[in-house]
Amino acid sequence: ETLAAEAARDAGVPYVAVLAFAGFDGRWPDTSRQRFRALLDDAEETITLQSKQPQTKEDVAGAFRRRDSWLAKHADEAVVVWDGDDPLVGRVVRSLQNELGEEEVWLVSPAEVA
């Protein structure tokens, strides 16, 4: 997601940042957090779906599932860079395909963009 936001910013394409919950970057190193905050500053809009920080790993996973569902319901198309291995990304791909239709979800292999 960070790379996609950077690509959109660099290409002058407006983007919206959709955050699963407030402060989810709190445990990141300072340099990563600063890079992320700069992207949020450049976003046309930032939407935070949950203000309360989750307390358990299960709650965190649930917050990200709700974010992914929100994205699928509000998108017309999706581009997913995926090597086909990560099952969590696979779950997101299937959710997007179910909501948008397979022809509206573009899968790109990392090897194609390297």
Side-chain angles (χ1 to χ4, degrees):
E1 291 136 350
T2 300
L3 294 174
E6 288 174 337
R9 179 198 58 204
D10 295 349
V13 175
Y15 61 94
V16 174
V18 181
L19 309 180
F21 55 90
F24 78 88
D25 61 328
R27 294 185 179 186
W28 293 1
D30 285 340
T31 54
S32 297
R33 200 170 352 176
Q34 289 170 359
R35 176 180 170 202
F36 178 70
R37 292 292 162 187
L39 289 169
L40 292 181
D41 289 343
D42 290 340
E44 188 166 282
E45 182 180 0
T46 299
I47 298 170
T48 304
L49 299 177
Q50 178 178 316
S51 59
K52 181 181 172 189
Q53 289 195 356
Q55 298 302 308
T56 66
K57 287 182 181 183
E58 292 81 14
D59 291 343
V60 169
F64 279 105
R65 280 193 303 274
R66 285 188 294 282
R67 190 273 320 256
D68 295 343
S69 176
W70 188 98
L71 290 171
K73 286 183 172 89
H74 290 83
D76 294 320
E77 294 179 304
V79 177
V80 181
V81 179
W82 181 41
D83 63 4
D85 288 334
D86 187 329
L88 293 176
V89 177
R91 203 171 309 146
V92 172
V93 168
R94 285 188 299 282
S95 173
L96 289 166
Q97 289 172 332
N98 288 339
E99 189 70 33
L100 305 174
E102 287 188 32
E103 65 282 351
E104 304 303 330
V105 179
W106 303 77
L107 297 177
V108 179
S109 167
E112 293 177 36
V113 289

